Amino acid sequence: RIYPVNPKYDEVLGMRCYPTVLDLPEIPDLVSVIVPQHRVMQVLEESAQIGVKAAIVISSGFSERGDSSRMQAQQELKDFSKRTGLRICGPNCLGVANVAAGIWATASQLPEDSEPNIPGTGSIALVSHSGATAFGPIMIRAKEMGLGFSHIISTGNEVDLESTDFIAYLLEDPNV
């Protein structure tokens, strides 16, 4: 189930929209955070408060900016994850796709004629720091070559979960 959260709307794409994470009817398996950088911690705190265990922080504006205040904001995310146990992919990533299961927890926009550009299901798992590269030219080129993916994972700034965490997990999957 998907639960949009936005205090400005009652409905998004025909789905009921909730004002905050605290208002959700159940604890989601995953929260995708796509808000301005200064609101990320609030969303994560609310998520931890209701028992969410994992988040993808797509929002940018952290250490990739290179200034000390943004590096401090990223350190706060790292400290938060250690303190609460809520696992974080990102920030500054495009998300995660479990192609085999049909789960696209990503901010990646597929082309208008997306169906021919979505890679088929296969046994290749792609873990990339850069979401723009993973969900862009690599995905399209793989489709052109007839290669299929099981997973496409963008790790971004790796404040908590790192490429090696995803790789270790994927190595245990007999379908990868």
Side-chain angles (χ1 to χ4, degrees):
R1 290 171 292 284
I2 297 173
Y3 299 112
V5 175
N6 189 316
K8 295 180 183 178
Y9 302 101
D10 294 329
E11 187 177 293
V12 171
L13 299 173
M15 294 181 282
R16 178 177 174 197
C17 192
Y18 297 84
T20 72
V21 172
L22 300 172
D23 298 308
L24 295 176
E26 65 181 332
I27 301 167
D29 295 324
L30 173 70
V31 172
S32 292
V33 183
I34 311 170
V35 298
Q37 182 268 342
H38 68 275
R39 297 218 35 243
V40 169
M41 281 305 302
Q42 175 188 348
V43 173
L44 290 175
E45 289 285 358
E46 290 174 357
S47 299
Q49 185 177 334
I50 65 168
V52 173
K53 301 292 184 204
I56 297 172
V57 180
I58 294 169
S59 303
S60 62
F62 293 91
S63 68
E64 75 277 3
R65 292 286 182 99
D67 68 56
S68 61
S69 67
R70 299 302 178 105
M71 290 179 185
Q72 179 58 38
Q74 182 158 312
Q75 184 61 47
E76 289 173 19
L77 288 180
K78 184 181 224 59
D79 296 343
F80 167 84
S81 180
K82 286 181 182 177
R83 175 175 50 85
T84 64
L86 193 152
R87 303 308 306 263
I88 298 173
C89 176
N92 189 38
C93 70
L94 279 183
V96 175
N98 182 334
V99 181
I103 298 170
W104 289 82
T106 172
S108 174
Q109 181 177 353
L110 295 171
E112 284 184 30
D113 60 338
S114 61
E115 200 58 40
N117 292 307
I118 297 173
T121 300
S123 61
I124 300 169
L126 172 62
V127 179
S128 171
H129 165 75
S130 170
T133 300
F135 288 98
I138 292 177
M139 185 178 73
I140 292 167
R141 183 73 175 130
K143 176 67 176 175
E144 291 170 354
M145 295 178 68
L147 300 174
F149 288 108
S150 60
H151 302 79
I152 304 171
I153 300 168
S154 163
T155 61
N157 294 5
E158 299 185 354
V159 72
D160 173 35
L161 294 169
E162 299 176 349
S163 298
T164 54
D165 295 310
F166 290 105
I167 292 166
Y169 173 81
L170 292 164
L171 285 172
E172 297 298 318
D173 186 335
N175 296 314
V176 174

